Amino acid sequence: MLLNLFGKYRFLVVSIALFLIFDLGVLVLNFYTSGKIAQQTELINLAARQSTLSQQMSKATLYIKSQKLQQWVYQTGLEELREHYRTFGETLDALTNGGATSSPETGELIQIDAVVSSEGQRLLAATNQLWTGFDAVLAPLMVDTLITDQEILPASEFIARHNLELFKLMTALTDHFSHQAESQTTLLRRAQVVGISLATINFFVILFHFLKQLRTRDRRLELKQQESEQILASIDDGVFLVDKQFRIGQQYSSRVAEIFATERISGRRLGGFLRHYVSDKMARNALDYVALFFKDHVSPDLIADINPLKGVKTSITHADGKLVEKYLDFTFSPLQQDDGSEVLLVTVQDITDSILLREQAEQSESRVQGELAMFSQVLPIRAAELQGFIDQSLESFSSINQVLKAHRKQDDSDPHSLEQIMQTAHKVKGDAQAIGLKLVGDRVHLFEDNVALLLKTANRRPLSGEDILPLTVELKQLVEQVELIEDFCSRLKNYGIQYERLDARHDDTVHQPAINERWRGLTSMAKAFAKPRDVDVLVNFRGFDQALDIELENKLYPIAVQLIRNSIAHGLEAKPDRLMVCKPATGRIDLALSHDGHGRYRFVIEDDGRGFDYALIREQLIKQGDVAPEAVLSLSNSELIKWAFSSRFSTREVVDSLSGRGMGLPLVWQLSKELGARLKVRSVADEFSQFVFTFTWSSEPSTNGLLAAQVA
């Protein structure tokens, strides 16, 4: 009845039970026999010691006799005799009647049973009879301290006659105990052989039975595996199973190996597998997400939206060492196997192509939107003004590129060269903003940001070509942006819209009256920068109604751009601040150009703002650290103004597209030197700032005034 409970495992249970019975029987017999052998071994040792003691007693007696006759000290021999006598008698009594005696090996007391074998009892009886005589002659020697000749001589004579007989009896007893031990050892070996044989036979019976069952099951599994492989091979997506321990199953579709470029998939932990392709943080999030599927009362539909492996970007290394980026989409579906265990069916799709197409579409759309925004800024600009900006900006970018090329060829970069790049870029930014090309201005501003970071790095360590390389890439993008504007102008011209390029050396060296439109465009620029700062501004022009040489205009115009930007950023106050100091709400910037008819010009830019803040300039100079604080405090206001033009620092704490880099006034100073002008600055606190440029100009290149240019 009990066997029926085990069903198809009945044979296995019976076989294991028999195996355990055989092993237990051999173990019990082995334990019992081992104990007996241990006892026999102890008896062998005791009998052997008895043989030795009989000889030692004879030797000690003869020693005492010889020492006595020569009247020498015999106390040592006597002590040995008494010890041997006591041990022999104690052991003989324990062997005969059972009891305690000292162990030959450890010296500790051991309890032994009386010898029960007939041969052993016979030998012990003869020994006891003989020992009676030994005891009679040796007993007197065990008491007296001083031994007489009447005591030692009979003892030595008796021991000499009977010592060999006593030795033979003890040797025979030792041999008897050895034969008994060998018999028990033989019995143990036979029992072990029988038990092991029965267990081996039982093992082969079990093995044969299970091999037969395994062959049957293997045939079934092979059929199922073939069916599964055929199904998995026909699936386009990667498919595999994951159990509760996050271990990947043995079977997976061939597409999985193709996607992940590896055959090492089955049996691996899901977390370790994913860490080869995504970040550690992403792998941890994925494991936390997968764990939710094995929790009770969690609906897969409710957590589908938080799947961290939805369209995840991976880095996969192929067998040839090539690193390929793929976008993969993982989906998880809970399943229950035949044995009732829960697993997850993981489906992996390679969506790289669709993602790349979508990104390309987004980039294309973003590019189109950027171009549309750019073209919307281009259309209101006069053709000649736009073409002038294109030519000058491309020329500036070319000069920047030459500096960058020189830097890439050497390991150390001169910070002064980076300052030149910053100054050139700042001029292009101002020119772009002046004509309304905000997108170009913003991009140049980002370029300035990176140059500023490089300048800070150059103050800490030498720059390498690798440090300069990103600037080259950004410069290329700036050139492409300006070339795009140029191409747009060409296409407009092809459609009949006249955007004609003006040649600086054409017959029309002198501009027509439309020249004023370019300068009036500075008003729009000033208002655009002033509005976010709550500043009202009015730009006035005097002397610009006359014809100007185009080269002269191209040199004066960027000076005007930079000083108007400087007036709005640092000079003109916000409307509430102006009213508080009894100024008109609208700030004023005046531009005046005059000449004496002999090539001598006077160019004046003035605002009615707050003037130079000398205390703040001193503070920034001290913070910059180029001049000792004591020397800064001793500088006059005029010397402070010179520093503002010659050193790159700003009184603004925050950098924006208008100010904060400290490039405006140094750029004005550089442009004035290129013009060959003498620059005079006047400033009264809370009243005005005035910049006066005096220079000589003719249509021929001039070399006068370049070295004499100064700030007064």
Side-chain angles (χ1 to χ4, degrees):
M1 183 67 179
L2 182 62
L3 293 177
N4 292 333
L5 296 176
F6 299 105
K8 63 180 180 179
Y9 302 108
R10 180 172 53 194
F11 180 83
L12 177 63
V13 172
V14 172
S15 300
I16 293 176
L18 290 174
F19 183 82
L20 292 176
I21 290 172
F22 294 149
D23 284 351
L24 184 62
V26 172
L27 181 64
V28 171
L29 181 60
N30 183 68
F31 180 78
Y32 174 76
T33 307
S34 297
K36 288 295 184 180
I37 293 174
Q39 292 179 359
Q40 288 299 123
T41 301
E42 198 68 51
L43 291 175
I44 291 171
N45 292 334
L46 290 172
R49 187 178 68 179
Q50 292 294 84
S51 300
T52 302
L53 289 174
S54 67
Q55 297 299 309
Q56 290 177 343
M57 284 189 296
S58 175
K59 178 181 176 182
T61 305
L62 293 175
Y63 174 79
I64 294 171
K65 178 181 176 182
S66 63
Q67 294 292 95
K68 179 70 175 170
L69 292 176
Q70 297 180 23
Q71 297 183 353
W72 288 351
V73 179
Y74 54 83
Q75 194 63 34
T76 302
L78 181 61
E79 292 177 358
E80 291 182 1
L81 177 62
R82 290 175 177 175
E83 178 64 24
H84 299 332
Y85 170 82
R86 182 189 61 76
T87 304
F88 189 93
E90 179 185 85
T91 303
L92 181 62
D93 182 66
L95 291 172
T96 304
N97 303 312
T101 185
S102 61
S103 172
E105 295 180 354
T106 63
E108 297 179 356
L109 286 179
I110 56 174
Q111 191 74 27
I112 60 174
D113 296 329
V115 177
V116 295
S117 63
S118 58
E119 180 64 16
Q121 289 180 345
R122 185 186 67 78
L123 292 172
L124 287 173
T127 302
N128 277 302
Q129 185 177 0
L130 184 60
W131 178 250
T132 302
F134 273 82
D135 189 43
V137 297
L138 291 175
L141 301 178
M142 301 299 112
V143 178
D144 297 336
T145 302
L146 297 176
I147 299 175
T148 65
D149 294 338
Q150 291 76 16
E151 294 174 335
I152 190 61
L153 291 176
S156 61
E157 292 176 358
F158 183 86
I159 291 173
R161 290 196 304 271
H162 300 286
N163 178 62
L164 182 60
E165 183 181 358
L166 182 62
F167 177 75
K168 289 181 178 179
L169 287 172
M170 291 298 97
T171 302
L173 184 63
T174 302
D175 293 340
H176 171 68
F177 289 151
S178 298
H179 291 320
Q180 282 189 324
E182 289 177 1
S183 299
Q184 291 171 347
T185 302
T186 302
L187 175 63
L188 176 61
R189 288 173 180 168
R190 290 174 180 173
Q192 289 175 337
V193 169
V194 172
I196 292 174
S197 299
L198 292 174
T200 302
I201 293 171
N202 186 59
F203 170 75
F204 280 108
V205 171
I206 297 173
L207 180 63
F208 175 78
H209 176 75
F210 274 96
L211 287 176
K212 182 179 178 181
Q213 289 187 340
L214 285 175
R215 281 197 299 269
T216 303
R217 293 180 181 178
D218 286 344
R219 285 194 293 269
R220 294 175 183 172
L221 288 175
E222 287 174 1
L223 292 175
K224 290 183 178 180
Q225 188 171 1
Q226 289 176 0
E227 294 174 356
S228 299
E229 289 177 353
Q230 291 174 355
I231 294 173
L232 291 174
S234 63
I235 298 176
D236 292 334
D237 300 330
V239 176
F240 58 88
L241 297 177
V242 175
D243 60 18
K244 281 188 175 182
Q245 286 72 41
F246 307 127
R247 193 177 296 278
I248 300 175
Q250 297 297 320
Q251 289 186 318
Y252 53 88
S253 67
S254 58
R255 183 66 176 139
V256 175
E258 293 177 11
I259 292 175
F260 294 102
T262 182
E263 296 290 343
R264 294 182 60 253
I265 299 172
S266 59
R268 297 177 65 180
R269 296 281 186 178
L270 181 61
F273 179 73
L274 289 176
R275 284 187 179 91
H276 284 83
Y277 310 106
V278 299
S279 65
D280 289 345
K281 181 179 180 181
M282 179 66 71
R284 289 195 299 271
N285 292 338
L287 289 181
D288 293 340
Y289 176 73
V290 170
L292 295 176
F293 285 92
F294 294 105
K295 292 185 178 181
D296 297 334
H297 311 300
V298 175
S299 173
D301 295 334
L302 293 178
I303 61 176
D305 292 337
I306 63 173
N307 183 1
L309 298 180
K310 195 77 172 175
V312 65
K313 185 178 181 181
T314 62
S315 298
I316 298 175
T317 304
H318 285 243
D320 58 0
K322 184 179 180 182
L323 187 65
V324 178
E325 290 186 347
K326 294 182 180 180
Y327 290 90
L328 303 180
D329 196 35
F330 290 73
T331 56
F332 302 88
S333 303
L335 295 177
Q336 191 167 28
Q337 294 185 312
D338 295 337
D339 58 0
S341 62
E342 294 181 355
V343 295
L344 277 183
L345 175 66
V346 183
T347 304
V348 186
Q349 290 180 308
D350 187 352
I351 58 172
T352 303
D353 292 340
S354 60
I355 291 292
L356 292 179
L357 286 175
R358 186 176 66 191
E359 289 181 351
Q360 290 174 1
E362 291 175 352
Q363 291 174 0
S364 178
E365 181 180 357
S366 176
R367 185 173 61 255
V368 170
Q369 290 178 350
E371 290 178 358
L372 289 175
M374 178 70 71
F375 297 154
S376 67
Q377 293 179 3
V378 167
L379 287 174
I381 304 173
R382 292 174 53 249
E385 190 174 0
L386 182 61
Q387 190 62 58
F389 168 77
I390 292 172
D391 293 340
Q392 292 177 19
S393 61
L394 290 177
E395 182 180 351
S396 298
F397 292 153
S398 177
S399 66
I400 292 175
N401 189 45
Q402 293 301 320
V403 177
L404 293 178
K405 280 183 178 179
H407 283 314
R408 291 199 301 272
K409 294 179 181 178
Q410 57 188 8
D411 292 334
D412 191 8
S413 294
D414 182 11
H416 180 67
S417 299
L418 294 177
E419 297 256 4
Q420 291 178 342
I421 293 175
M422 178 83 84
Q423 197 172 79
T424 304
H426 198 74
K427 178 179 178 297
V428 175
K429 180 176 74 172
D431 293 345
Q433 292 170 337
I435 64 174
L437 288 177
K438 183 178 183 300
L439 291 177
V440 176
D442 291 346
R443 194 152 200 168
V444 177
H445 182 72
L446 294 177
F447 180 80
E448 282 185 307
D449 286 339
N450 292 322
V451 177
L453 289 175
L454 275 183
L455 275 170
K456 291 181 180 179
T457 304
N459 292 328
R460 298 194 306 270
R461 63 171 176 83
L463 297 179
S464 65
E466 292 295 327
D467 295 321
I468 301 298
L469 187 59
L471 284 184
T472 306
V473 175
E474 294 179 22
L475 181 64
K476 182 176 180 294
Q477 294 172 349
L478 281 170
V479 172
E480 290 175 350
Q481 190 176 35
V482 175
E483 289 176 344
L484 178 65
I485 297 174
E486 187 175 32
D487 180 66
F488 177 65
C489 294
S490 299
R491 280 184 281 170
L492 289 178
K493 182 178 180 181
N494 292 336
Y495 282 104
I497 303 176
Q498 296 301 315
Y499 263 59
E500 298 179 354
R501 177 173 180 171
L502 296 178
D503 191 340
R505 290 301 179 187
H506 194 263
D507 292 339
D508 293 332
T509 303
V510 177
H511 285 255
Q512 300 301 319
I515 180 66
N516 291 329
E517 295 181 14
R518 183 181 186 187
W519 291 90
R520 291 195 181 95
L522 295 176
T523 301
S524 300
M525 179 197 75
K527 290 183 178 296
F529 282 128
K531 185 176 180 181
R533 291 166 168 75
D534 194 22
V535 174
D536 276 348
V537 61
L538 176 64
V539 183
N540 300 312
F541 300 91
R542 294 196 311 274
F544 291 92
D545 52 352
Q546 301 296 323
L548 274 181
D549 182 87
I550 188 171
E551 291 187 15
L552 176 58
E553 180 194 357
N554 287 338
K555 289 188 177 293
L556 294 179
Y557 186 78
I559 294 176
V561 170
Q562 295 302 324
L563 288 178
I564 290 174
R565 288 161 53 91
N566 187 77
S567 294
I568 295 172
H570 303 284
L572 297 181
E573 307 93 334
K575 288 184 291 185
D577 296 335
R578 292 180 64 87
L579 293 175
M580 287 180 63
V581 294
C582 300
K583 286 185 178 181
T586 302
R588 192 188 77 252
I589 301 176
D590 297 329
L591 283 76
L593 178 65
S594 61
H595 65 92
D596 60 1
H598 299 288
R600 289 190 294 272
Y601 284 80
R602 189 171 187 268
F603 181 42
V604 181
I605 299 178
E606 180 180 341
D607 68 63
D608 64 344
R610 59 175 61 90
F612 281 84
D613 190 336
Y614 300 110
L616 193 54
I617 295 175
R618 280 194 174 88
E619 180 182 337
Q620 291 300 321
L621 271 177
I622 293 173
K623 185 182 296 185
Q624 192 178 40
D626 292 339
V627 185
E630 299 79 6
V632 172
L633 295 175
S634 65
L635 292 176
S636 65
N637 292 344
S638 177
E639 290 172 326
L640 288 174
I641 291 178
K642 289 182 180 180
W643 271 105
F645 276 86
S646 60
S647 180
R648 191 178 69 84
F649 69 89
S650 176
T651 55
R652 288 279 184 180
E653 295 292 337
V654 180
V655 177
D656 57 23
S657 62
L658 182 62
S659 62
R661 298 200 187 279
M663 294 303 303
L665 292 182
L667 177 56
V668 169
W669 173 234
Q670 179 63 32
L671 292 173
S672 72
K673 289 195 294 184
E674 293 175 4
L675 181 62
R678 175 185 176 85
L679 171 59
K680 182 177 182 180
V681 181
R682 295 179 60 213
S683 177
V684 176
D686 296 324
E687 291 189 17
F688 70 91
S689 292
Q690 185 186 70
F691 305 86
V692 181
F693 300 85
T694 55
F695 57 93
T696 301
W697 180 262
S698 66
S699 58
E700 296 298 326
S702 173
T703 58
N704 295 327
L706 288 176
L707 298 178
Q710 58 180 313
V711 178

PDB file of all heavy atoms in Angstrom, residues 48 99 115 126 131 159 278-279 319 346 391 441 458 485 539 558 565 574 580 642 658 666 672 705:
ATOM      1  N   ALA A  48      52.806  -7.648  24.855  1.00  0.00           N
ATOM      2  CA  ALA A  48      54.181  -7.344  24.432  1.00  0.00           C
ATOM      3  C   ALA A  48      54.926  -6.617  25.537  1.00  0.00           C
ATOM      4  O   ALA A  48      56.133  -6.843  25.748  1.00  0.00           O
ATOM      5  CB  ALA A  48      54.152  -6.501  23.153  1.00  0.00           C
ATOM      6  N   GLY A  99      39.977  -5.373  34.674  1.00  0.00           N
ATOM      7  CA  GLY A  99      40.238  -4.245  35.547  1.00  0.00           C
ATOM      8  C   GLY A  99      41.031  -3.173  34.843  1.00  0.00           C
ATOM      9  O   GLY A  99      41.169  -3.162  33.616  1.00  0.00           O
ATOM     10  N   VAL A 115      40.367 -11.904  29.809  1.00  0.00           N
ATOM     11  CA  VAL A 115      40.517 -12.736  28.613  1.00  0.00           C
ATOM     12  C   VAL A 115      39.602 -13.952  28.759  1.00  0.00           C
ATOM     13  O   VAL A 115      39.610 -14.642  29.790  1.00  0.00           O
ATOM     14  CB  VAL A 115      41.985 -13.178  28.435  1.00  0.00           C
ATOM     15  CG1 VAL A 115      42.127 -14.106  27.243  1.00  0.00           C
ATOM     16  CG2 VAL A 115      42.883 -11.957  28.289  1.00  0.00           C
ATOM     17  N   ALA A 126      49.088 -20.470  33.541  1.00  0.00           N
ATOM     18  CA  ALA A 126      50.494 -20.863  33.701  1.00  0.00           C
ATOM     19  C   ALA A 126      51.327 -19.670  34.157  1.00  0.00           C
ATOM     20  O   ALA A 126      52.242 -19.823  35.000  1.00  0.00           O
ATOM     21  CB  ALA A 126      51.019 -21.410  32.374  1.00  0.00           C
ATOM     22  N   TRP A 131      54.235 -16.715  38.311  1.00  0.00           N
ATOM     23  CA  TRP A 131      54.396 -15.398  38.944  1.00  0.00           C
ATOM     24  C   TRP A 131      54.327 -15.509  40.468  1.00  0.00           C
ATOM     25  O   TRP A 131      54.896 -14.680  41.175  1.00  0.00           O
ATOM     26  CB  TRP A 131      53.324 -14.435  38.407  1.00  0.00           C
ATOM     27  CG  TRP A 131      53.392 -13.061  39.036  1.00  0.00           C
ATOM     28  CD1 TRP A 131      52.502 -12.514  39.890  1.00  0.00           C
ATOM     29  CD2 TRP A 131      54.414 -12.115  38.837  1.00  0.00           C
ATOM     30  NE1 TRP A 131      52.890 -11.260  40.246  1.00  0.00           N
ATOM     31  CE2 TRP A 131      54.097 -10.983  39.587  1.00  0.00           C
ATOM     32  CE3 TRP A 131      55.605 -12.102  38.111  1.00  0.00           C
ATOM     33  CZ2 TRP A 131      54.901  -9.854  39.641  1.00  0.00           C
ATOM     34  CZ3 TRP A 131      56.390 -10.974  38.164  1.00  0.00           C
ATOM     35  CH2 TRP A 131      56.043  -9.856  38.909  1.00  0.00           C
ATOM     36  N   ILE A 159      65.020 -15.738  39.521  1.00  0.00           N
ATOM     37  CA  ILE A 159      64.699 -15.052  38.274  1.00  0.00           C
ATOM     38  C   ILE A 159      65.551 -15.572  37.139  1.00  0.00           C
ATOM     39  O   ILE A 159      65.085 -15.734  35.999  1.00  0.00           O
ATOM     40  CB  ILE A 159      64.873 -13.530  38.445  1.00  0.00           C
ATOM     41  CG1 ILE A 159      63.796 -12.978  39.380  1.00  0.00           C
ATOM     42  CG2 ILE A 159      64.805 -12.795  37.101  1.00  0.00           C
ATOM     43  CD1 ILE A 159      63.964 -11.529  39.743  1.00  0.00           C
ATOM     44  N   VAL A 278      24.434  47.978 -22.488  1.00  0.00           N
ATOM     45  CA  VAL A 278      23.877  49.232 -21.986  1.00  0.00           C
ATOM     46  C   VAL A 278      24.635  49.616 -20.722  1.00  0.00           C
ATOM     47  O   VAL A 278      25.460  48.861 -20.209  1.00  0.00           O
ATOM     48  CB  VAL A 278      22.359  49.104 -21.705  1.00  0.00           C
ATOM     49  CG1 VAL A 278      21.607  48.758 -22.980  1.00  0.00           C
ATOM     50  CG2 VAL A 278      22.083  48.046 -20.634  1.00  0.00           C
ATOM     51  N   SER A 279      24.358  50.784 -20.187  1.00  0.00           N
ATOM     52  CA  SER A 279      25.018  51.262 -18.967  1.00  0.00           C
ATOM     53  C   SER A 279      24.575  50.444 -17.755  1.00  0.00           C
ATOM     54  O   SER A 279      23.535  49.772 -17.782  1.00  0.00           O
ATOM     55  CB  SER A 279      24.696  52.745 -18.744  1.00  0.00           C
ATOM     56  OG  SER A 279      23.309  52.915 -18.487  1.00  0.00           O
ATOM     57  N   ALA A 319      32.543  40.289 -33.889  1.00  0.00           N
ATOM     58  CA  ALA A 319      33.707  39.404 -33.797  1.00  0.00           C
ATOM     59  C   ALA A 319      34.963  40.053 -34.362  1.00  0.00           C
ATOM     60  O   ALA A 319      36.077  39.767 -33.918  1.00  0.00           O
ATOM     61  CB  ALA A 319      33.416  38.088 -34.519  1.00  0.00           C
ATOM     62  N   VAL A 346      10.891  36.979 -23.577  1.00  0.00           N
ATOM     63  CA  VAL A 346      11.505  38.254 -23.949  1.00  0.00           C
ATOM     64  C   VAL A 346      11.630  38.296 -25.471  1.00  0.00           C
ATOM     65  O   VAL A 346      12.229  37.401 -26.076  1.00  0.00           O
ATOM     66  CB  VAL A 346      12.891  38.420 -23.296  1.00  0.00           C
ATOM     67  CG1 VAL A 346      13.481  39.788 -23.632  1.00  0.00           C
ATOM     68  CG2 VAL A 346      12.785  38.247 -21.787  1.00  0.00           C
ATOM     69  N   ASP A 391      31.102  88.772 -47.309  1.00  0.00           N
ATOM     70  CA  ASP A 391      32.514  88.844 -47.674  1.00  0.00           C
ATOM     71  C   ASP A 391      33.404  89.041 -46.448  1.00  0.00           C
ATOM     72  O   ASP A 391      34.428  88.367 -46.284  1.00  0.00           O
ATOM     73  CB  ASP A 391      32.735  89.992 -48.667  1.00  0.00           C
ATOM     74  CG  ASP A 391      32.062  89.717 -50.006  1.00  0.00           C
ATOM     75  OD1 ASP A 391      31.771  88.530 -50.269  1.00  0.00           O
ATOM     76  OD2 ASP A 391      31.828  90.680 -50.754  1.00  0.00           O
ATOM     77  N   GLY A 441      24.539  85.502 -35.330  1.00  0.00           N
ATOM     78  CA  GLY A 441      25.119  86.096 -34.130  1.00  0.00           C
ATOM     79  C   GLY A 441      25.100  85.137 -32.950  1.00  0.00           C
ATOM     80  O   GLY A 441      26.083  85.043 -32.197  1.00  0.00           O
ATOM     81  N   ALA A 458      44.071  77.338 -21.066  1.00  0.00           N
ATOM     82  CA  ALA A 458      45.441  77.724 -21.426  1.00  0.00           C
ATOM     83  C   ALA A 458      46.158  78.403 -20.261  1.00  0.00           C
ATOM     84  O   ALA A 458      47.396  78.359 -20.186  1.00  0.00           O
ATOM     85  CB  ALA A 458      45.421  78.654 -22.636  1.00  0.00           C
ATOM     86  N   ILE A 485      23.709  81.289 -46.686  1.00  0.00           N
ATOM     87  CA  ILE A 485      23.090  82.594 -46.958  1.00  0.00           C
ATOM     88  C   ILE A 485      23.515  83.098 -48.344  1.00  0.00           C
ATOM     89  O   ILE A 485      22.693  83.610 -49.114  1.00  0.00           O
ATOM     90  CB  ILE A 485      23.486  83.603 -45.862  1.00  0.00           C
ATOM     91  CG1 ILE A 485      22.951  83.138 -44.495  1.00  0.00           C
ATOM     92  CG2 ILE A 485      22.966  84.989 -46.185  1.00  0.00           C
ATOM     93  CD1 ILE A 485      23.419  83.990 -43.338  1.00  0.00           C
ATOM     94  N   VAL A 539      18.822 106.810 -31.554  1.00  0.00           N
ATOM     95  CA  VAL A 539      20.131 106.955 -32.196  1.00  0.00           C
ATOM     96  C   VAL A 539      20.042 108.100 -33.208  1.00  0.00           C
ATOM     97  O   VAL A 539      19.201 108.076 -34.113  1.00  0.00           O
ATOM     98  CB  VAL A 539      20.564 105.652 -32.880  1.00  0.00           C
ATOM     99  CG1 VAL A 539      21.971 105.818 -33.487  1.00  0.00           C
ATOM    100  CG2 VAL A 539      20.561 104.500 -31.883  1.00  0.00           C
ATOM    101  N   PRO A 558      32.021  98.983 -38.081  1.00  0.00           N
ATOM    102  CA  PRO A 558      32.169  98.085 -36.922  1.00  0.00           C
ATOM    103  C   PRO A 558      32.518  98.825 -35.637  1.00  0.00           C
ATOM    104  O   PRO A 558      32.154  98.367 -34.548  1.00  0.00           O
ATOM    105  CB  PRO A 558      33.301  97.131 -37.347  1.00  0.00           C
ATOM    106  CG  PRO A 558      33.996  97.813 -38.473  1.00  0.00           C
ATOM    107  CD  PRO A 558      32.977  98.652 -39.155  1.00  0.00           C
ATOM    108  N   ARG A 565      26.725  98.950 -28.889  1.00  0.00           N
ATOM    109  CA  ARG A 565      26.504  97.804 -27.998  1.00  0.00           C
ATOM    110  C   ARG A 565      27.027  98.104 -26.600  1.00  0.00           C
ATOM    111  O   ARG A 565      26.381  97.792 -25.594  1.00  0.00           O
ATOM    112  CB  ARG A 565      27.219  96.568 -28.567  1.00  0.00           C
ATOM    113  CG  ARG A 565      26.582  95.976 -29.801  1.00  0.00           C
ATOM    114  CD  ARG A 565      27.567  95.073 -30.562  1.00  0.00           C
ATOM    115  NE  ARG A 565      28.150  94.067 -29.690  1.00  0.00           N
ATOM    116  CZ  ARG A 565      27.646  92.844 -29.484  1.00  0.00           C
ATOM    117  NH1 ARG A 565      26.526  92.491 -30.120  1.00  0.00           N
ATOM    118  NH2 ARG A 565      28.225  91.997 -28.686  1.00  0.00           N
ATOM    119  N   ALA A 574      18.252 102.082 -17.332  1.00  0.00           N
ATOM    120  CA  ALA A 574      16.859 101.712 -17.552  1.00  0.00           C
ATOM    121  C   ALA A 574      15.967 102.931 -17.291  1.00  0.00           C
ATOM    122  O   ALA A 574      16.363 103.885 -16.603  1.00  0.00           O
ATOM    123  CB  ALA A 574      16.474 100.555 -16.639  1.00  0.00           C
ATOM    124  N   MET A 580      14.782 108.693 -12.055  1.00  0.00           N
ATOM    125  CA  MET A 580      15.174 108.993 -10.680  1.00  0.00           C
ATOM    126  C   MET A 580      16.283 110.049 -10.624  1.00  0.00           C
ATOM    127  O   MET A 580      16.401 110.777  -9.633  1.00  0.00           O
ATOM    128  CB  MET A 580      15.645 107.719  -9.977  1.00  0.00           C
ATOM    129  CG  MET A 580      14.508 106.756  -9.640  1.00  0.00           C
ATOM    130  SD  MET A 580      15.131 105.277  -8.809  1.00  0.00           S
ATOM    131  CE  MET A 580      15.802 106.011  -7.319  1.00  0.00           C
ATOM    132  N   LYS A 642      42.332 103.754 -19.975  1.00  0.00           N
ATOM    133  CA  LYS A 642      43.285 103.076 -20.847  1.00  0.00           C
ATOM    134  C   LYS A 642      43.294 101.570 -20.592  1.00  0.00           C
ATOM    135  O   LYS A 642      43.382 100.765 -21.526  1.00  0.00           O
ATOM    136  CB  LYS A 642      44.679 103.667 -20.633  1.00  0.00           C
ATOM    137  CG  LYS A 642      44.858 105.075 -21.167  1.00  0.00           C
ATOM    138  CD  LYS A 642      46.284 105.562 -20.968  1.00  0.00           C
ATOM    139  CE  LYS A 642      46.461 106.978 -21.506  1.00  0.00           C
ATOM    140  NZ  LYS A 642      47.847 107.463 -21.323  1.00  0.00           N
ATOM    141  N   LEU A 658      25.331  90.205 -25.656  1.00  0.00           N
ATOM    142  CA  LEU A 658      25.680  91.613 -25.807  1.00  0.00           C
ATOM    143  C   LEU A 658      26.971  91.974 -25.087  1.00  0.00           C
ATOM    144  O   LEU A 658      27.790  92.734 -25.602  1.00  0.00           O
ATOM    145  CB  LEU A 658      24.536  92.489 -25.285  1.00  0.00           C
ATOM    146  CG  LEU A 658      24.721  94.012 -25.416  1.00  0.00           C
ATOM    147  CD1 LEU A 658      24.848  94.408 -26.883  1.00  0.00           C
ATOM    148  CD2 LEU A 658      23.559  94.749 -24.749  1.00  0.00           C
ATOM    149  N   PRO A 666      38.470  96.669 -26.186  1.00  0.00           N
ATOM    150  CA  PRO A 666      39.720  96.284 -26.848  1.00  0.00           C
ATOM    151  C   PRO A 666      39.566  96.144 -28.366  1.00  0.00           C
ATOM    152  O   PRO A 666      40.485  96.479 -29.121  1.00  0.00           O
ATOM    153  CB  PRO A 666      40.072  94.940 -26.189  1.00  0.00           C
ATOM    154  CG  PRO A 666      39.461  95.023 -24.836  1.00  0.00           C
ATOM    155  CD  PRO A 666      38.178  95.772 -25.044  1.00  0.00           C
ATOM    156  N   SER A 672      40.507 101.100 -34.216  1.00  0.00           N
ATOM    157  CA  SER A 672      40.988 102.479 -34.361  1.00  0.00           C
ATOM    158  C   SER A 672      42.444 102.502 -34.821  1.00  0.00           C
ATOM    159  O   SER A 672      42.864 103.381 -35.591  1.00  0.00           O
ATOM    160  CB  SER A 672      40.818 103.235 -33.044  1.00  0.00           C
ATOM    161  OG  SER A 672      41.744 102.782 -32.078  1.00  0.00           O
ATOM    162  N   GLY A 705      49.538 107.493 -38.781  1.00  0.00           N
ATOM    163  CA  GLY A 705      48.656 107.445 -37.624  1.00  0.00           C
ATOM    164  C   GLY A 705      48.568 106.093 -36.959  1.00  0.00           C
ATOM    165  O   GLY A 705      48.081 106.016 -35.849  1.00  0.00           O
TER     166      GLY A 705
END
